[in-house]
């Protein structure tokens, strides 16, 4: 669950960045990332925080209304949401906190199986609201993004 939590947070930034930057996406870059904290809320849910180093040469933006679902082999596995995050112009460390919970179709045994993590087995649906420093706002949703492809971007 820890890996999926970090991955979901990184995917949020990749999704937002790809929409904000369109053709200039290659100018946005990601550095190191990791889990700052993680604490169980129940046997099926965790709260936690992750960090990701981001260099943004375009325009600052806020990502809000963050929610997503991770699928394992096409079946809902984890649902999550996260707090708002601001990505300033320049280089900064983005901190994202949120909650992730197992889907009703997932079991604790599925979590134990994450010891052997194959990104090709996973895809992500994400929805976020992006507000640029210029005031422009848009809602972006992406479905069934392959995790293996997303990992190559970060």
């Amino acid at each position: 669950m820890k890996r999926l939590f970090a991955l979901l947070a990184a995917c949020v930034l990749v999704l937002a960045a790809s929409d904000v930057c369109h053709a200039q996406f290659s100018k946005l870059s990601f550095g190191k990332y990791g889990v700052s904290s993680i604490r169980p809320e129940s046997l099926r849910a965790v709260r936690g925080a992750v960090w990701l180093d981001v260099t943004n040469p375009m325009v600052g933006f806020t990502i809000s209304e963050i929610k997503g679902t991770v699928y394992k082999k096409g079946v809902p596995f984890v649902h999550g949401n996260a707090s708002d995050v601001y990505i300033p112009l320049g280089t900064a460390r983005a901190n994202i906190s949120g909650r992730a919970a197992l889907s009703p179709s997932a079991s604790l045994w599925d979590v134990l199986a994450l010891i052997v993590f194959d990104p090709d087995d996973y895809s992500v649906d994400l929805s976020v609201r992006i507000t640029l420093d210029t005031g422009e706002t848009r809602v972006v949703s992406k479905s069934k993004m392959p995790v293996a492809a997303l990992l190559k971007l970060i």
Side-chain angles (χ1 to χ4, degrees), residues 1-134:
M1 185 90 104
K2 195 173 185 179
R3 286 182 189 171
L4 286 176
F5 195 78
L7 178 63
L8 188 58
C11 290
V12 165
L13 290 178
V14 170
L15 170 66
S18 65
D19 190 71
V20 167
C21 302
H22 296 290
Q24 298 177 11
F25 176 61
S26 61
K27 293 182 181 177
L28 193 78
S29 63
F30 302 96
K32 296 179 182 179
Y33 63 94
V35 176
S36 318
S37 68
I38 192 159
R39 62 189 180 283
E41 188 176 82
S42 70
L43 287 176
R44 299 186 59 83
V46 296
R47 287 201 175 274
V50 297
W51 57 268
L52 175 68
D53 291 337
V54 182
T55 300
N56 175 15
M58 266 46 102
V59 61
F61 57 95
T62 299
I63 310 167
S64 60
E65 299 175 24
I66 303 165
K67 55 188 169 189
T69 301
V70 176
Y71 296 85
K72 182 177 182 182
K73 297 182 179 177
V75 177
F77 185 56
V78 173
H79 299 284
N81 56 43
S83 60
D84 299 356
V85 62
Y86 178 69
I87 307 299
L89 179 65
T91 300
R93 178 162 284 180
N95 293 293
I96 304 173
S97 61
R99 181 181 186 273
L102 288 176
S103 297
S105 60
S107 73
L108 292 176
W109 294 112
D110 294 323
V111 174
L112 293 175
L114 285 174
I115 292 171
V116 180
F117 177 75
D118 182 358
D120 290 325
D121 289 344
Y122 297 87
S123 62
V124 179
D125 289 353
L126 284 173
S127 175
V128 300
R129 175 178 296 278
I130 301 166
T131 305
L132 302 178
D133 282 353
T134 61

